[in-house]
Amino acid sequence: MTSSHDLLGVNLFAGWDVPRLVSMQATRRADHTFLIWEPFEGEGRTWTYGEFDRATRSLAAGLAGRGIRPGDRILIHLDNCPEATLAWYACAHLGAVAVTTNVRSAGEELAYFADDSEAVAAISQPALADLVSKHCKRIRWIAVTETDSGAAPAQGKGPDHASSFERLYGDPADAHQRPADPLLPVSIQYTSGTTSRPKGVVWTHANALWGGKINAMHETLTPDDVHLCYLPLFHANAQAYSVLATLWAGATVVVQPRFSASRFWSVSLRHKCTWNSTIPFCIKALAQYEVPEHHYRLWGTGVCSAPWDDHFKVTTIGWWGMTETITHGIVSDPHLPGPPMSIGRPASMYEIAILDGEGRPVEPGDTGRLKIKGVRGVSLFLEYLNNSIATQESFDECGFFDTGDRVVLLENGFIQWGDRDKDMLKVGGENVAASEIERVILSVPGVDEVSVVAKKHDMLDEVPVAFVIPHGGIARAPDGLVQDIEAACAEALADFKHPHEVRLVDSMPRSTLEKVAKNKLRESLETEG
């Protein structure tokens, strides 16, 4: 496989990094609006490119004044808000690494993220700061925002030893420009795996630049576009598909705290939004509202030529990507739409392989395992943090990364979703590994065995259902076992990972070698409807 050093040697991003991109746009488009904050409560705010550049430099100087050094990891545990974006880019300017974490994480998950990343400090908000303080024992300090994503805090300002986020700002003149190193890590995002705890996906500055460049190209963004962003900034979709792509194009991004169907059209019309990266849950919710005359030219989601295009009077482009790929490895062309409900075709800057169980390329019409080949540290992630074995095992002998997804190769070279890895659930746009839930349930006294499978859900796509064999069978199950399981999941797992049902059973269907036949469990749920 071509190394990232080889590619950078021919000057793709040599001598460049994220703060230099910000600085370049601030020079070229100083007075053009970059970021618009649209809170549900309180006043909004706007940053031009020039103002955003100065604000991130000021924050970088303040972080350095608080002892943050290049290579240090900072936990950013925030709902969508301006501080989340400012902190991410300030870390990039300083050479620190932003560790962005899901705000729905439970205490045990948060402790794991902080310990695994060796975070030295944290930035959070009033509603979440106590959780960070309680579970992230090794961090030196916590800075807390004034509001909860624009809303006045329901209680207090966080732990007594926390400081105000506003006090982090320093003199932007003190934010000296360090030598550019495109292979320097810039961020870590934790992603679910089917067989282990979440893995920290390490992005370099070159990865972030690649995400901005290629996403802007796939989305045909221009400096006149206005990109609506309500998906969580701690995920790759909002961070790369929306913010970095907007930055690269010199366009404008409108950030909301989260998705709101009732506010969608009013915000879209007020700012004349032209682009929207979305997910099926949001589309289903918006379908209940009347569609006004709007300015959207494109929406991006998992499929192209979607059946809802006529309803919303907009063209949808399909795409496939993941945290490890930074951008879309498969994408449709907005000018040449593909077959309805297809993802698209392989992106020109990647190699795509679709292989059967024997490792052979599939024929048109067949389903296979999706693999992708790029350049580590540039078009693919650098590594899994502190997990060289997982990093090595995720690539085959030809340098292809195994995505874990299954797709169908169509007759004309387009690609369509296949049957997903059944131990990975998709709950309202969030990836959930069955193994994560099973690990927690197995820790509950009185549980002998557990299998978690997906049940179809009208709005969330799928929800987890746990089948549990109690010690000694149902007749001898401890009183309150279901409640104990629910309490353990509430303590250890983000809310979207909680089982929607816990079913006590005396036995489970088995396949060869006495392995639980999860397909039979799924079939039983489908039969119930």
Side-chain angles (χ1 to χ4, degrees), residues 56 121 175 247 305 356 443 452 514:
T56 53
L247 174 64
S305 302
D356 63 17
S443 70
V452 172
E514 287 301 296

Side-chain angles (χ1 to χ4, degrees), residues 450-511:
V450 58
S451 283
V452 172
V453 296
K455 180 180 181 179
K456 293 188 182 301
H457 190 278
D458 286 344
M459 289 299 293
L460 299 176
D461 191 11
E462 296 175 333
V463 293
V465 174
F467 291 84
V468 176
I469 299 178
H471 184 66
I474 295 177
R476 300 179 62 183
D479 292 338
L481 179 59
V482 171
Q483 290 77 12
D484 291 345
I485 290 170
E486 291 171 342
C489 290
E491 174 67 24
L493 299 170
D495 55 4
F496 59 87
K497 300 176 185 178
H498 297 175
H500 275 229
E501 297 178 55
V502 177
R503 300 191 179 191
L504 302 184
V505 296
D506 283 318
S507 63
M508 295 191 217
R510 305 283 173 174
S511 59

Side-chain angles (χ1 to χ4, degrees), residues 39 51 80 238 298 392 424 467 505:
E51 291 168 340
N80 281 10
L298 287 172
Q392 182 178 351
M424 184 63 75
F467 291 84
V505 296

Side-chain angles (χ1 to χ4, degrees), residues 33 36-46 226 228 252 254-257 260 262-274 292-296:
T33 298
I36 298 173
W37 169 232
E38 268 284 352
F40 296 164
E41 299 179 30
E43 294 185 4
R45 187 176 170 187
T46 296
V226 181
L228 182 62
T252 300
V254 179
V255 176
Q256 292 182 279
S260 170
S262 63
R263 296 176 176 90
F264 178 87
W265 287 117
S266 61
V267 171
S268 298
L269 295 176
R270 180 158 58 252
H271 298 293
K272 298 182 179 180
C273 296
T274 60
E293 291 295 324
H294 57 73
H295 303 84
Y296 282 111

Side-chain angles (χ1 to χ4, degrees), residues 13 35 64 68 110 177 190 230 301 316 331 391 403 432 492:
F13 294 126
L35 175 63
I68 302 301
L110 196 54
Q177 189 130 51
Y190 281 87
Y230 45 72
T301 187
T316 302
V331 67
T391 304
T403 70
V432 177

Side-chain angles (χ1 to χ4, degrees), residues 161-500:
H161 63 279
S163 61
S164 168
F165 178 87
E166 295 301 319
R167 295 181 61 186
L168 285 179
Y169 287 100
D171 185 344
D174 293 335
H176 304 294
Q177 189 130 51
R178 54 181 178 74
D181 181 357
L183 289 183
L184 188 75
V186 71
S187 72
I188 297 168
Q189 297 177 54
Y190 281 87
T191 184
S192 292
T194 58
T195 60
S196 62
R197 299 201 72 167
K199 298 187 286 289
V201 179
V202 180
W203 282 6
T204 65
H205 281 255
N207 283 145
L209 294 171
W210 177 269
K213 175 183 174 68
I214 304 303
N215 284 317
M217 182 177 72
H218 287 169
E219 297 168 20
T220 64
L221 289 183
T222 73
D224 296 324
D225 274 308
V226 181
H227 200 314
L228 182 62
C229 175
Y230 45 72
L231 297 179
L233 289 166
F234 50 75
H235 277 332
N237 189 313
Q239 189 66 260
Y241 298 7
S242 296
V243 180
L244 278 165
T246 298
L247 174 64
W248 185 275
T252 300
V253 61
V254 179
V255 176
Q256 292 182 279
R258 58 188 175 278
F259 173 71
S260 170
S262 63
R263 296 176 176 90
F264 178 87
W265 287 117
S266 61
V267 171
S268 298
L269 295 176
R270 180 158 58 252
H271 298 293
K272 298 182 179 180
C273 296
T274 60
W275 234 103
N276 171 36
S277 177
T278 190
I279 59 174
F281 171 84
C282 302
I283 292 167
K284 292 174 184 176
L286 284 174
Q288 304 172 43
Y289 290 80
E290 183 178 349
V291 180
E293 291 295 324
H294 57 73
H295 303 84
Y296 282 111
R297 62 183 185 86
L298 287 172
W299 286 4
T301 187
V303 295
C304 63
S305 302
W308 55 77
D309 283 8
D310 288 341
H311 174 78
F312 291 113
K313 306 170 192 172
V314 69
T315 298
T316 302
I317 65 172
W319 56 37
W320 165 88
M322 56 196 304
T323 309
E324 287 89 341
T325 66
I326 301 95
T327 180
H328 324 108
I330 300 171
V331 67
S332 65
D333 190 317
H335 305 297
L336 298 171
M341 303 304 287
S342 62
I343 310 171
R345 300 173 68 92
S348 60
M349 59 289 301
Y350 291 98
E351 290 184 58
I352 294 293
I354 306 173
L355 308 177
D356 63 17
E358 303 299 320
R360 297 170 300 202
V362 301
E363 297 293 328
D366 291 340
T367 301
R369 189 89 164 187
L370 174 62
K371 294 190 174 186
I372 184 169
K373 189 175 183 180
V375 179
R376 289 262 302 278
V378 182
S379 56
L380 293 177
F381 73 118
L382 180 67
E383 62 185 357
Y384 289 124
L385 183 68
N386 302 326
N387 201 336
S388 59
I389 294 176
T391 304
Q392 182 178 351
E393 291 179 347
S394 64
F395 291 89
D396 67 16
E397 64 279 4
C398 296
F400 280 88
F401 174 75
D402 189 346
T403 70
D405 287 319
R406 289 170 59 79
V407 295
V408 181
L409 177 63
L410 303 181
E411 290 287 345
N412 52 11
F414 278 84
I415 297 169
Q416 194 171 52
W417 282 113
D419 51 339
R420 186 189 305 117
D421 187 318
K422 297 302 184 181
D423 269 345
M424 184 63 75
L425 289 65
K426 198 74 168 181
V427 183
E430 297 277 6
N431 289 325
V432 177
S435 60
E436 284 190 76
I437 307 172
E438 291 166 348
R439 175 183 60 82
V440 173
I441 294 177
L442 280 172
S443 70
V444 177
V447 173
D448 258 9
E449 190 173 4
V450 58
S451 283
V452 172
V453 296
K455 180 180 181 179
K456 293 188 182 301
H457 190 278
D458 286 344
M459 289 299 293
L460 299 176
D461 191 11
E462 296 175 333
V463 293
V465 174
F467 291 84
V468 176
I469 299 178
H471 184 66
I474 295 177
R476 300 179 62 183
D479 292 338
L481 179 59
V482 171
Q483 290 77 12
D484 291 345
I485 290 170
E486 291 171 342
C489 290
E491 174 67 24
L493 299 170
D495 55 4
F496 59 87
K497 300 176 185 178
H498 297 175
H500 275 229

